[in-house]
Amino acid sequence: MKNIFTTLRKAISPKSIKRKIQYYFASLTLLMLVCSVTILVFVTHSILDEYFTYTITKRIESTDVELSSTLKGVRKNLDYVVENTSALQESIVDNNIFRIDSCLHAYAQVFGLYSYVLTDIHGTLISTSVRGYDENDKLKLAGLTNHIAEHGSSEGVALILEKEAAYYSARVIHDKQHKEVGILIFVKNSLADPEYLDERARILDLKMTVFRDSLRVNTTLVDEYGVSMKGSVLDNAEALKSIRNSHRYIAPTVIGGNRYYSYYYPLVDFSGANVGTLWYGIDANVRTDLTMSLSAYVFWALIGFGFLMSFLYSFLINKELVNPIIKLSELSAVLASGDLTAKDDTSKYKYEVGTLQASVSEMTKAIRRVLCPVIEMSHQLHTASAELSKASQNLSNSASHQAASLEEISSSMQEIGGNVQHNMGNSMKTNELSVEIGSDVNVISTASNNSLKAVRGISEDIDAINGLVMQTNILSLNASVEAARAGAYGKGFGVVAKEVGRLADQTKSAAQTITDTASNSISETENASEKLNNMLPKLDEVISLVKEINSACIEQNSGISQVNTAITDLNSVTQQIASSAEEISANSEELAATAASLNEMVSYFKI
């Protein structure tokens, strides 16, 4: 079963918007027919109830209009009789009953009246064509004549002598001296007259009944056996209550087993009292037949109308919507293929489709306006991306080379820093040694000066020894002389004197040698002392320069450290630049590829 439904659904599934709209309208037509028939089934009774109620009301209103016109005609006849018939006036004054009856009978025949009544001004009956006159009639007639005498004339519905409701027109009669001599009442129609009721029912095409209270005194209804329902009573309590209160009652009722659309019309006389009720009705069987006929007519009319409207809507939809949409779809397909040069005439499209087509045209123009610079920019972008890729590659290579160079510089600076630190250490040691040497040189200078002083003292002592040697030689000579003089006694002393002389000569020779050496030592010491003295300022300057070199080495080490830090930072930045350059290079390559793709994509469009 599922496969059958699937196959059926695929078979009837629309393949285009045209078929879909046709299916939609066919479905809508069927739905409208179903809803219409459903509504027809459920509202027919209400519609027909309203229709029959409206029909009865309109017919009764037309009857009232006709009755009013008839009573006006009776009133004209009555006015003619009262104003232009002197014979009747004279007969009333003379109380000639026979002549009065003859005149009134002739007038009734001529004017087509149902009956007549003539009373005096006090309501006492003078002449009438009505039969069955009794005391109760006298009271009713007296009330009517009093009303007529008070108002001069009257017309409408009242209970005349035949004890049933009748339409009448009445007027006071005056004699030639304008004295009130009587009251004349013309009865046009009596509702108790079966012929009149049958005639009215036939004219109105309605069933009619005249009620006196709840009793049917005249009716066109018959029971199931075909017998008149005259004399039966009204068994609808709600309707009876309404008409007794002189209110109209309109509702479907069941009478004698048959259903009627009923209209109860209360009859009120000149005094406002209810004198009866007129019932108008339409047999519900007529409604049933009408319902079936109407349902059939409406059903087939709806079917025909539905199919007609479906075909009409399909034609109009095809003309105004489907065909333009198909053309727009073809135009859209051409535009979708990239051919933006395609155009369509907007003047032949109307309404929203025309607006849509105009929007498509405007959109095409807008796309063309946008794509022209886009295509141009895509070409420029393709060229610029290629150049950017080359530049970024060069930048990446340069950045890499620079990073390598910075690494070498950083390594060299580290070596230079090491050398500077080593030199700084050496300069510090040199400074310390120079200070020590300066101190030692000062000590040497002092010692040299002291040695010079000592050598000079030695030289002076040697000079003194030379003096002593000379004196010793002199003494030796003197001793030798004296020893010679002493002879043998002085021989040993002479020997001593010779030894002393020899020692003196040796001493003199040693002293001379020492003197020469001391002189040389003094000269050398003086030269050394002079050189040391000359060296001391230079040594101080050297020490100052060593200090300055040491300070410069310290500053150079600090500067090299800062330069090394800066080179390290620069190396880091260069590495980042190199990394960014590589990213830029990669992105530029992607951009070049994207630009090439964009260029290829925009080449899809033709403008």
Side-chain angles (χ1 to χ4, degrees):
M1 182 63 70
K2 183 177 180 181
N3 293 331
I4 295 175
F5 282 116
T6 303
T7 304
L8 181 61
R9 182 176 61 81
K10 290 182 178 179
I12 64 174
S13 178
K15 302 299 188 299
S16 64
I17 187 173
K18 180 177 181 180
R19 294 299 182 189
K20 183 174 289 188
I21 291 176
Q22 289 176 347
Y23 282 170
Y24 284 167
F25 275 105
S27 301
L28 179 63
T29 302
L30 292 176
L31 180 62
M32 182 180 67
L33 291 177
V34 172
C35 293
S36 300
V37 172
T38 303
I39 293 172
L40 183 65
V41 170
F42 284 102
V43 305
T44 296
H45 288 79
S46 299
I47 293 175
L48 289 177
D49 286 348
E50 293 180 2
Y51 167 74
F52 287 120
T53 301
Y54 175 79
T55 299
I56 293 175
T57 303
K58 283 298 181 181
R59 291 178 185 178
I60 293 172
E61 290 176 355
S62 66
T63 300
D64 291 341
V65 172
E66 182 182 357
L67 178 60
S68 176
S69 177
T70 301
L71 290 178
K72 287 181 181 178
V74 176
R75 179 59 180 267
K76 290 181 180 179
N77 296 331
L78 181 60
D79 291 342
Y80 175 81
V81 171
V82 172
E83 295 173 2
N84 299 304
T85 308
S86 58
L88 178 60
Q89 296 173 347
E90 293 174 358
S91 300
I92 294 172
V93 174
D94 296 338
N95 196 21
N96 188 341
I97 301 301
F98 177 77
R99 190 177 178 185
I100 291 173
D101 289 341
S102 298
C103 290
L104 292 177
H105 181 71
Y107 297 149
Q109 292 293 326
V110 171
F111 299 135
L113 301 174
Y114 178 74
S115 61
Y116 58 86
V117 176
L118 179 64
T119 67
D120 61 15
I121 196 60
H122 302 294
T124 303
L125 183 63
I126 298 175
S127 176
T128 180
S129 61
V130 179
R131 296 176 297 276
Y133 186 75
D134 57 18
E135 292 298 326
N136 189 32
D137 294 331
K138 288 182 180 181
L139 295 176
K140 295 176 182 178
L141 186 60
L144 176 60
T145 54
N146 287 334
H147 177 77
I148 296 170
E150 182 179 354
H151 293 85
S153 64
S154 179
E155 61 185 9
V157 181
L159 289 177
I160 312 302
L161 299 181
E162 58 267 41
K163 303 176 183 179
E164 304 301 338
Y167 296 108
Y168 75 95
S169 181
R171 182 173 174 180
V172 176
I173 299 176
H174 298 82
D175 61 9
K176 293 180 180 181
Q177 286 76 30
H178 300 288
K179 179 182 178 182
E180 297 176 349
V181 295
I183 297 172
L184 178 59
I185 303 172
F186 277 170
V187 178
K188 175 61 178 176
N189 301 114
S190 175
L191 296 176
D193 184 5
E195 293 181 0
Y196 172 71
L197 198 65
D198 290 339
E199 179 66 16
R200 296 309 305 162
R202 184 186 61 79
I203 293 173
L204 297 174
D205 194 20
L206 298 171
K207 301 292 184 181
M208 293 185 65
T209 297
V210 179
F211 286 94
R212 186 179 63 216
D213 195 31
S214 64
L215 181 65
R216 290 184 177 89
V217 296
N218 198 1
T219 182
T220 60
L221 293 176
V222 294
D223 59 17
E224 57 182 347
Y225 303 106
V227 179
S228 175
M229 295 182 68
K230 181 178 179 180
S232 61
V233 296
L234 176 63
D235 55 0
N236 190 324
E238 187 176 354
L240 184 60
K241 178 181 178 181
S242 179
I243 61 179
R244 283 178 176 173
N245 292 325
S246 299
H247 295 156
R248 297 182 181 186
Y249 181 77
I250 305 173
T253 56
V254 178
I255 303 173
N258 294 324
R259 190 170 181 268
Y260 293 91
Y261 293 97
S262 299
Y263 190 111
Y264 293 88
Y265 186 84
L267 299 174
V268 181
D269 67 0
F270 62 91
S271 64
N274 182 272
V275 296
T277 301
L278 276 177
W279 172 84
Y280 301 90
I282 298 178
D283 193 346
N285 292 327
V286 176
R287 199 280 306 267
T288 302
D289 297 337
L290 183 60
T291 301
M292 295 178 64
S293 300
L294 182 61
S295 298
Y297 291 148
V298 171
F299 178 76
W300 291 111
L302 287 175
I303 290 178
F305 179 75
F307 282 111
L308 177 63
M309 293 305 294
S310 179
F311 285 119
L312 179 61
Y313 285 158
S314 298
F315 173 75
L316 294 177
I317 289 297
N318 289 334
K319 180 181 178 182
E320 301 292 340
L321 180 62
V322 176
N323 293 334
I325 288 178
I326 292 174
K327 292 182 179 179
L328 284 178
S329 64
E330 294 174 353
L331 176 62
S332 301
V334 174
L335 295 176
S337 65
D339 186 5
L340 300 180
T341 60
K343 296 181 181 179
D344 197 4
D345 186 11
T346 59
S347 62
K348 59 185 178 182
Y349 297 151
K350 299 179 180 179
Y351 314 117
E352 288 80 359
V353 179
T355 304
L356 177 61
Q357 203 281 337
S359 300
V360 171
S361 298
E362 291 298 324
M363 181 184 68
T364 305
K365 293 178 182 178
I367 293 174
R368 192 181 296 118
R369 288 195 300 269
V370 172
L371 280 178
C372 285
V374 167
I375 293 173
E376 183 178 355
M377 286 188 291
S378 68
H379 294 308
Q380 295 176 357
L381 179 62
H382 182 65
T383 304
S385 63
E387 295 178 357
L388 177 62
S389 178
K390 184 185 293 183
S392 63
Q393 188 65 37
N394 294 331
L395 176 62
S396 178
N397 295 332
S398 300
S400 299
H401 181 71
Q402 185 179 6
S405 299
L406 282 174
E407 287 180 357
E408 294 178 358
I409 292 173
S410 177
S411 178
S412 299
M413 287 303 297
Q414 288 179 356
E415 292 179 358
I416 292 172
N419 294 329
V420 168
Q421 288 182 352
H422 181 71
N423 291 335
M424 185 179 68
N426 293 332
S427 67
M428 292 178 67
K429 290 181 180 180
T430 302
N431 186 27
E432 292 175 356
L433 293 174
S434 65
V435 171
E436 292 177 358
I437 291 171
S439 178
D440 293 339
V441 169
N442 287 326
V443 172
I444 292 171
S445 177
T446 302
S448 176
N449 290 329
N450 292 333
S451 176
L452 181 61
K453 289 179 181 180
V455 170
R456 284 178 179 175
I458 292 169
S459 179
E460 291 176 356
D461 290 337
I462 290 172
D463 289 338
I465 291 171
N466 286 326
L468 290 175
V469 169
M470 289 180 67
Q471 290 179 0
T472 301
N473 284 326
I474 293 172
L475 288 177
S476 174
L477 289 175
N478 290 327
S480 293
V481 171
E482 292 291 333
R485 287 176 176 174
Y489 296 101
K491 187 179 181 179
F493 188 76
V495 173
V496 173
K498 287 181 179 180
E499 287 295 330
V500 169
R502 189 180 58 84
L503 291 171
D505 289 334
Q506 291 179 350
T507 302
K508 182 178 180 181
S509 176
Q512 187 62 41
T513 301
I514 293 170
T515 301
D516 293 336
T517 301
S519 296
N520 291 331
S521 177
I522 289 171
S523 177
E524 293 296 330
T525 301
E526 286 179 352
N527 290 331
S529 178
E530 184 179 0
K531 288 180 180 180
L532 284 173
N533 290 329
N534 292 331
M535 186 187 296
L536 286 175
K538 294 180 179 180
L539 184 62
D540 292 336
E541 185 176 358
V542 168
I543 292 171
S544 177
L545 290 174
V546 168
K547 288 182 179 179
E548 291 179 359
I549 290 170
N550 189 25
S551 298
C553 286
I554 293 173
E555 292 178 357
Q556 187 178 13
N557 185 36
S558 176
I560 288 173
S561 298
Q562 294 178 357
V563 170
N564 195 19
T565 302
I567 289 175
T568 302
D569 294 339
L570 181 61
N571 186 25
S572 177
V573 172
T574 304
Q575 293 291 338
Q576 293 179 358
I577 292 174
S579 177
S580 299
E582 290 178 357
E583 292 180 358
I584 292 173
S585 178
N587 292 331
S588 63
E589 291 178 358
E590 293 181 359
L591 179 61
T594 304
S597 300
L598 178 62
N599 193 25
E600 183 179 356
M601 284 189 291
V602 296
S603 64
Y604 177 78
F605 296 99
K606 297 178 183 178
I607 55 175

